[in-house]
Amino acid sequence: MFSHLAARAAAPALLAAAGATTFLAPPTPAFAHGNHEDHSHGNSDHERLHQLEQTIEVMRAQLKAQFDVKQFTGQGNAVFSWESTLTGAFPDCAKKYEKDLHGGFSEDSATGVVYTGIPNYGLCTISPDLKTWTKIGTDPRLKDNCHGICVFKFENQTFVALAQNEKARILICQLDGTVLQELTAPSGGEFNFDEANGYYSKKTIKQLPWDQIKSPAFAVTDVTFLNGKLYAVTGYCDGDFVLTASFNDKTKLFEWGPTAWGGKDPLVGTGKSTPGKFQTAHGIFAHDGKIFVANREACEVCEFTPEGKLVRVLPDIPHGARICNVAHATDDNFFVMNALAPITSSPEKTASVYAHSGERLLSTIEPGQLGIPVLKHLHHTHPHYVVNKEDGTRTLHLLISGWSRGKYAVLKHEKDGKPTDANMWKRTKNEIHEPHV
């Protein structure tokens, strides 16, 4: 049986045989140029098959040399393959919008159903086996970009919060896509943080014809939930904060306040960072009673208390990795985070996904090593477990949402997969961060 690489290599050979142009120029098998006299002397079917296998092996080697396509990527206990079948489950009717992807995923932990938004198409669910996509809800607001998403349980009900950066709002929905509330920009005065109150309350009016009206931008990039509060980050504007919204029992709505922290880091662009300040707070995630923020342009993941006290900046993250989002693979007990783009001056073909213990880097997972088409920039990576109905085993899958040119892809955890070398500096033992004992 041919390997999957040989099968991929066979496709260009068929195109070439048909007179099509291909990026490979495989050596032409000798039997392809035989004439009737050659056939009369007779190569057996066995010989022909042997020649074909040799040709495919040569082409496979050429493909590997040119594109370095591998079957697996990652190290240690976090090695993955490309699950092309589940990748192909992306709905045909939404294919024309796949190039516009600029969001992420969240799931209902009780059912395993995954929620995601497709710009100009709408809010979707993905079945727990990742095989079936279903569009939900009829509200036209669901077609706007859902840059961040969070499924959360509150007062024995489960809801979906959608952070829509381009429309400056958070939508709170039922699981069927019915919109219950639209939470727009704060007006100032809601928070126990002067910088946020000042930013949102400062508005000017036009005095002269050439004046620019100044009002605070509210570009919410992600949302999470912890202890009865929504936590949102607003990294795509000068008001680069973490903001909270609490439920008002009288109005039966979520309202801004009282906790907020952060603000735009004055050291942005210098290669340095100010503790507790942000250089594009892009993603936010609640885990183990703490709030984790992907501080993208500072190449940091920051851990905070729910009140906004900085606990630490996670160590052992590759220099130059512009982390977009953070999640946690529960069964395997490691964080999953992805960079936006390939690290400058590295040979990475795509941005990387990192498995991280919270103390040290465990694995660098490079989708570009797997030959996934189109994918280069990564916007969000979500860990999801697919359950085997026969024996109940759970297999970790990574759902990837690309950016720039879009692209949805699924990676599958391979416990027996062959580890690959990460395209990064080969660290000595002394350079590997180990947790304190």
Side-chain angles (χ1 to χ4, degrees), residues 6-7 11 17 25 77 87 99 107 154-155 169 205 245 253 430 432:
N77 190 40
T87 298
K99 61 180 174 54
E107 73 178 79
F154 178 65
E155 294 187 345
R169 66 191 177 202
I205 59 175
L253 296 171
N430 292 334
I432 298 175

Side-chain angles (χ1 to χ4, degrees), residues 131-168:
K131 295 180 180 179
T132 305
W133 289 60
T134 304
K135 183 180 176 182
I136 61 173
T138 58
D139 194 304
R141 288 174 290 183
L142 299 176
K143 292 186 176 182
D144 294 317
N145 186 50
C146 299
H147 191 276
I149 184 168
C150 175
V151 179
F152 67 98
K153 190 171 183 178
F154 178 65
E155 294 187 345
N156 297 317
Q157 296 185 65
T158 305
F159 305 93
V160 185
L162 308 174
Q164 296 189 311
N165 61 308
E166 295 173 356
K167 297 298 181 179

Side-chain angles (χ1 to χ4, degrees), residues 27 101 132 202 208 210 273 383 387 403:
L101 288 179
T132 305
K202 187 175 182 178
L208 297 170
W210 51 83
S273 62
V387 180
W403 173 75

Side-chain angles (χ1 to χ4, degrees), residues 115-116 121-125 134-143 162 173-179:
Y115 291 76
T116 189
Y121 181 74
L123 184 62
C124 297
T125 61
T134 304
K135 183 180 176 182
I136 61 173
T138 58
D139 194 304
R141 288 174 290 183
L142 299 176
K143 292 186 176 182
L162 308 174
C173 310
Q174 292 179 329
L175 293 180
D176 64 357
T178 301
V179 178

